[in-house]
Amino acid sequence: NSFRTNPEFSTADAIQALGVGEALVSVLDEKGAPTVVQRTLIRPPASRLGPLSPGERAGVMAASPVKGVYDAAIDRESAFEVLKVRAIARSGGESARDAPAPRTPTRTRAPSGGRDRQTLTETFAKQFLRTLAAAAGREILRGVLGGMRRR
């Protein structure tokens, strides 16, 4: 490549001499320093915008290495459902076979005395106080260190 061997290398001349599909690139070496700019060919992207046609989609799925593995949707029994059935069976109310297993977990509210989530107001107030305390601490530290520097 004439740009690499030429000691009078000019980036402006190199840019003007670039052809279609070429670019000037520089990479980092092992120590993190940039290397000399070099000409290279750019590979055009192999992607496209827009959806696949049904035929293209079928072809991609047929050539997939996981063909058949994820084709059928399986709704397995969750740990929540298994534990719910065990809890009902232990309580003696119904047998484990007769107990209906809920399909979605239900959320229950914690008692008001033991809630563990903060309201939006509490979160805002806590964050505001933290910011205020940090700013006050910075100002105190600047005052102390600034007074020491003047002496």
Side-chain angles (χ1 to χ4, degrees):
N1 201 330
S2 63
F3 292 116
R4 256 196 267 162
T5 58
N6 185 355
E8 300 294 325
F9 175 75
S10 168
T11 304
D13 292 339
I15 291 173
Q16 291 175 359
L18 289 177
V20 175
E22 291 183 324
L24 288 180
V25 296
S26 175
V27 295
L28 299 178
D29 65 10
E30 310 80 46
K31 296 180 181 179
T35 60
V36 176
V37 175
Q38 296 179 9
R39 263 171 102 167
T40 187
L41 292 174
I42 301 295
R43 182 172 180 235
S47 62
R48 71 164 194 214
L49 295 177
L52 294 175
S53 69
E56 290 171 322
R57 179 178 158 90
V60 169
M61 290 174 67
S64 173
V66 291
K67 178 184 176 192
V69 177
Y70 299 105
D71 290 349
I74 299 172
D75 186 16
R76 294 190 173 105
E77 192 173 21
S78 70
F80 175 81
E81 294 164 340
V82 171
L83 294 174
K84 184 77 168 178
V85 169
R86 283 185 194 168
I88 291 172
R90 283 191 196 138
S91 68
E94 301 174 346
S95 70
R97 293 185 190 128
D98 298 337
R103 294 309 302 159
T104 57
T106 56
R107 288 187 165 233
T108 57
R109 292 190 83 128
S112 61
R115 66 187 176 104
D116 55 349
R117 298 198 63 174
Q118 296 177 350
T119 65
L120 185 62
T121 306
E122 290 170 334
T123 304
F124 176 77
K126 189 179 276 189
Q127 187 61 37
F128 177 75
L129 290 175
R130 283 182 187 154
T131 304
L132 193 63
R138 263 193 313 273
E139 290 302 317
I140 291 170
L141 192 59
R142 280 184 187 163
V144 169
L145 293 177
M148 292 173 65
R149 191 183 317 162
R150 290 183 195 140
R151 292 180 183 183

